Amino acid sequence: MARLEIAQVSLRFGGVYALQDVSVQVGAGELVAIIGPNGAGKTSLVNCVSGVYRPLVGRIHFEGQDITRLAPAARTRLGLARTFQNIALFKGMTVLDNLLIGRHFRQKTGVLAGGIYYGPGRREEIAQRRVVEEIIDFLEIEHIRKKIVHTLPYGLQKRVELARALALEPKLLLLDEPMAGMNAEEKEDMARFILDVNEEKGTSILMIEHDMGVVMDLSHRIYVLNFGKKIAEGEPALVRGNREVQLAYLGAEA
Amino acid sequence: MRCGDFRTTYAEDMAIFDSALARGLLAALLVLLVLLPLLATGYWLDVTNRIGIAVIAATGLNILTGFTGQISLGNAAFLAVGAYSTAALTARGVPFLIAVPSSGLISALVGMIFGFPSLRLKGLYLAIATLAAHFIVEFTVVHWESMTGGVNGIGIDPPKLFGYAFDEDRKLYFPILAATVAMLWFAKNLFRTRVGKAFVAIRDQDISAEVMGVAVFRHKLLSFAVSSFYVGVAGSLLAYQARIISPENFPLGVAIDQLGMIIIGGLGSILGSVLGAIFITLLPEALRLLTGALAGSFPGLVQLFASLKLGVFGLAIVLFLIFEPDGMAARWHRIKAYWKLYPFSY
Ligand SMILES: Nc1ncnc2c1ncn2[C@@H]1O[C@H](COP(=O)(O)OP(=O)(O)OP(=O)(O)O)[C@@H](O)[C@H]1O
Ligand SMILES: [Mg+2]
């Protein structure tokens, strides 16, 4: 059984089909990429999985459970996490606090215990702080942990957003263009982190990315979307050789 | 000389007042506040008490508007709910120590009900919806005469604790000070922990918050409840201080004043609520002193006072929006950061 199973999903905005009969699977521990030209429907697909959009038809199963109609927060509790194409961090909060929101649903502290602080409130805060500090180490962002997020450069914000998603300790990570707008060095770092997450933590990853070099290097399998339809799937070498893909996507760039 | 700081445990790293100096200054301030009734006249103790009440109410509004991003114009209404609850409870013999938190809880409940539109509405639209709270509460107060005394108002007996009556501002000062300090401390802690951080996350990016597993609507309602609890407690203390309350104590202008406090003090800052409440409460006092001093040479000034007050209030907000949009608290933090590393500030 695949960890994520998207079956024949369609999504429409007015007269435009953003997705048409798209099926995608991600296995346990797999790193799968979705590619396709602008407007192909990649983000829409991720939005359907994370619950930001509801598909018109089709089903989405996560670890065998039908999540098609589940609220986003409920999916997160099952083990889904994502980043956004346009960074959607909590801008006025510190890096630490952004990550601590990832621990929110595992915590119990309510208004009273929180306001009184000493006792259970503080104990829980310290315990979660430990977890979050490990992720901070892992992504090498120790030096900015107390910085307010909106003061950080773009590349670092992208990394913080990955960190925030990891704070959820997800089973499946959805990454929407994690390297967009980065310079070569930043991309290299990010690629290394994504690989580490996948290999060391065994997290399944579904990643949208435009940089073909990165996609070919990192992913186990690739899906290609064009005008809302899936036009190819398979291992990197296979997809690279596919004529329709070259025409629709690679050809358009070359 | 202080040269930055070093911490060894997470508990230390998470402390509010993170240095011995800061803790010392805070202790000195508290001692000064406790001794204040020995130094101040009755008139200025009335002003101080009103500041304490305004601090609690502004903190409540800041929790909802500054920290959670839900604009509210319902604060005068929640203040009224707290005040009239206290009137009703004390009339039935409920003691001070129970009446105050109960009034807060009743206000919290009402606030939560008026928070329901926040499921669908944001920004200005939500502000208009909370305006409905104001008029509904006002209507209820005027027409439910058996409970509220209608437009004539209703009297409240001075609070008693162990047989001791707090029947003048000099005495009432202490319970108000205690409540203010306790509620500020509680609010500060709230934002160091789970629920408070969720509030801020909702303010900054509600879709992200939802995707990160925060039950957004539930926390919005919770924010309305906590906020209205604060405002309700402020209303309760206001009732005890004023002794007679009527609809005239709770015009829409009170809600506007409180928005002014948190804008000038600093949205999303506890310290900002304090500074803003002090500033806005003292503003008319300063004007009064000034017009009093100038009355000899300009006799017409006294009649102008009322309109002068509104004009200066508006001007203060505009000036702050232009020159210090993050409020007085931000200015304070910058000054503090400067001195922390002095003289090696660069
Ligand atoms: N909320 C929306 N309302 C209306 N149309 C939308 C919405 N979201 C997406 N679309 C449309 O759906 C189609 C697919 O958009 P989507 O954002 O999924 O593309 P994408 O593959 O992520 O593109 P890009 O590479 O530019 O990010 C586009 O035609 C887009 O205009
Ligand atoms: Mg996209």
Side-chain angles (χ1 to χ4, degrees):
Chain A
M1 176 189 65
R3 187 163 281 180
L4 176 72
E5 186 136 9
I6 305 170
Q8 284 143 17
V9 161
S10 295
L11 176 73
R12 201 173 62 188
F13 292 107
V16 189
Y17 272 97
L19 294 169
Q20 217 171 338
D21 205 26
V22 175
S23 299
V24 166
Q25 279 127 43
V26 183
E30 237 189 337
L31 201 168
V32 175
I34 299 181
I35 61 172
N38 291 115
K42 307 179 296 293
T43 299
S44 300
L45 190 68
V46 162
N47 279 340
C48 287
V49 177
S50 69
V52 177
Y53 294 164
R54 294 273 162 85
L56 192 66
V57 287
R59 316 285 335 163
I60 300 170
H61 288 262
F62 182 69
E63 295 198 308
Q65 185 179 345
D66 188 343
I67 58 166
T68 320
R69 303 274 144 207
L70 230 48
R75 299 177 197 217
T76 305
R77 273 173 223 129
L78 291 178
L80 267 164
R82 73 169 287 182
T83 63
F84 292 82
Q85 184 168 352
N86 307 304
I87 300 169
L89 286 165
F90 308 119
K91 287 205 279 296
M93 298 170 80
T94 61
V95 169
L96 258 176
D97 283 351
N98 267 273
L99 267 62
L100 280 167
I101 291 290
R103 309 304 298 169
H104 175 90
F105 79 86
R106 293 174 204 267
Q107 290 176 266
K108 286 202 284 288
T109 306
V111 171
L112 214 56
I116 291 168
Y117 193 64
Y118 293 94
R122 183 164 81 158
R123 222 172 302 134
E124 193 178 62
E125 252 346 93
I126 290 175
Q128 298 304 336
R129 174 80 186 264
R130 279 206 187 94
V131 179
V132 161
E133 284 289 344
E134 271 173 35
I135 294 160
I136 289 178
D137 273 356
F138 185 74
L139 292 185
E140 298 163 21
I141 46 177
E142 298 91 342
H143 57 300
I144 52 164
R145 57 157 80 80
K146 291 275 177 80
K147 288 269 191 304
I148 304 287
V149 157
H150 76 81
T151 64
L152 296 173
Y154 179 84
L156 271 180
Q157 289 195 23
K158 279 275 195 194
R159 202 190 292 183
V160 172
E161 209 187 12
L162 176 64
R164 185 182 67 171
L166 289 181
L168 291 165
E169 293 185 290
K171 296 176 189 157
L172 172 67
L173 188 56
L174 307 161
L175 302 173
D176 195 346
E177 304 199 13
M179 291 162 217
M182 285 186 166
N183 62 36
E185 192 186 336
E186 288 172 327
K187 273 188 190 179
E188 213 168 284
D189 284 342
M190 188 54 113
R192 181 164 54 85
F193 291 133
I194 292 172
L195 260 185
D196 284 352
V197 172
N198 180 242
E199 284 172 1
E200 286 178 27
K201 299 182 193 277
T203 311
S204 304
I205 296 179
L206 182 63
M207 170 178 77
I208 301 174
E209 185 47 54
H210 277 297
D211 187 312
M212 291 310 292
V214 170
V215 169
M216 293 293 161
D217 278 357
L218 294 193
S219 30
H220 305 150
R221 280 185 311 115
I222 300 174
Y223 289 88
V224 188
L225 294 185
N226 194 21
F227 292 115
K229 286 192 192 133
K230 184 170 77 182
I231 58 169
E233 65 176 283
E235 286 169 15
L238 216 74
V239 168
R240 199 204 303 264
N242 183 307
R243 240 196 94 55
E244 203 179 343
V245 175
Q246 285 170 353
L247 275 179
Y249 185 65
L250 304 170
E253 270 190 356
Chain B
M1 189 177 72
R2 306 174 61 205
C3 302
D5 32 36
F6 306 93
R7 307 182 178 96
T8 48
T9 68
Y10 290 141
E12 257 177 68
D13 194 41
M14 288 163 10
I16 302 179
F17 298 101
D18 47 10
S19 72
L21 179 65
R23 278 191 290 270
L25 285 175
L26 184 75
L29 178 67
L30 280 178
V31 169
L32 201 71
L33 281 172
V34 169
L35 295 180
L36 189 74
L38 297 177
L39 313 168
T41 64
Y43 175 75
W44 283 102
L45 284 170
D46 162 65
V47 174
T48 320
N49 284 345
R50 281 192 284 119
I51 287 178
I53 291 167
V55 165
I56 296 174
T59 305
L61 181 63
N62 220 340
I63 288 172
L64 182 64
T65 301
F67 284 97
T68 320
Q70 313 296 303
I71 302 178
S72 166
L73 286 171
N75 248 27
F78 304 141
L79 203 65
V81 171
Y84 280 100
S85 301
T86 292
L89 289 169
T90 43
R92 283 156 189 75
V94 176
F96 177 57
L97 275 184
I98 295 173
V100 175
S102 306
S103 303
L105 286 175
I106 293 169
S107 175
L109 194 71
V110 175
M112 207 151 79
I113 292 168
F114 284 108
F116 268 85
S118 70
L119 176 62
R120 290 266 176 262
L121 303 180
K122 284 184 195 177
L124 267 180
Y125 300 98
L126 180 63
I128 300 298
T130 57
L131 200 55
H134 179 83
F135 292 114
I136 290 170
V137 168
E138 189 172 60
F139 182 88
T140 311
V141 166
V142 170
H143 292 274
W144 194 3
E145 283 180 24
S146 59
M147 186 64 97
T148 66
V151 287
N152 297 322
I154 189 168
I156 296 106
D157 286 336
K160 265 198 192 125
L161 215 53
F162 311 114
Y164 181 83
F166 295 87
D167 51 7
E168 54 170 348
D169 275 310
R170 199 171 292 282
K171 295 172 185 164
L172 203 53
Y173 174 85
F174 292 100
I176 291 180
L177 176 66
T180 309
V181 170
M183 292 184 86
L184 284 174
W185 179 77
F186 189 92
K188 196 79 194 163
N189 286 335
L190 186 65
F191 291 100
R192 302 204 267 169
T193 48
R194 175 173 171 269
V195 175
K197 285 174 185 175
F199 286 174
V200 181
I202 290 169
R203 174 196 73 189
D204 280 356
Q205 243 297 341
D206 53 350
I207 293 176
S208 269
E210 179 81 44
V211 169
M212 291 296 291
V214 176
V216 169
F217 181 52
R218 216 178 62 198
H219 280 84
K220 279 185 187 171
L221 288 187
L222 204 54
S223 181
F224 267 96
V226 175
S227 166
S228 313
F229 178 84
Y230 272 71
V231 183
V233 167
S236 171
L237 295 172
L238 184 150
Y240 279 124
Q241 197 209 6
R243 295 282 198 82
I244 295 175
I245 52 168
S246 73
E248 281 173 35
N249 289 84
F250 311 100
L252 192 55
V254 168
I256 308 284
D257 276 357
Q258 285 175 6
L259 273 176
M261 289 175 195
I262 62 171
I263 289 171
I264 286 177
L267 289 167
S269 156
I270 301 291
L271 177 66
S273 324
V274 178
L275 298 178
I278 294 174
F279 184 87
I280 294 288
T281 313
L282 286 183
L283 195 62
E285 302 305 324
L287 275 180
R288 201 193 312 274
L289 289 180
L290 199 69
T291 45
L294 296 177
S297 14
F298 307 96
L301 216 54
V302 181
Q303 278 107 58
L304 270 177
F305 178 75
S307 44
L308 212 60
K309 189 182 134 189
L310 278 178
V312 172
F313 175 75
L315 189 69
I317 290 186
V318 170
L319 288 178
F320 264 95
L321 286 178
I322 294 172
F323 293 109
E324 195 65 272
D326 294 331
M328 298 164 88
R331 170 60 53 97
W332 163 253
H333 287 304
R334 274 202 296 280
I335 295 172
K336 211 172 71 172
Y338 176 79
W339 284 103
K340 196 168 190 170
L341 297 173
Y342 184 84
F344 305 113
S345 306
Y346 298 102

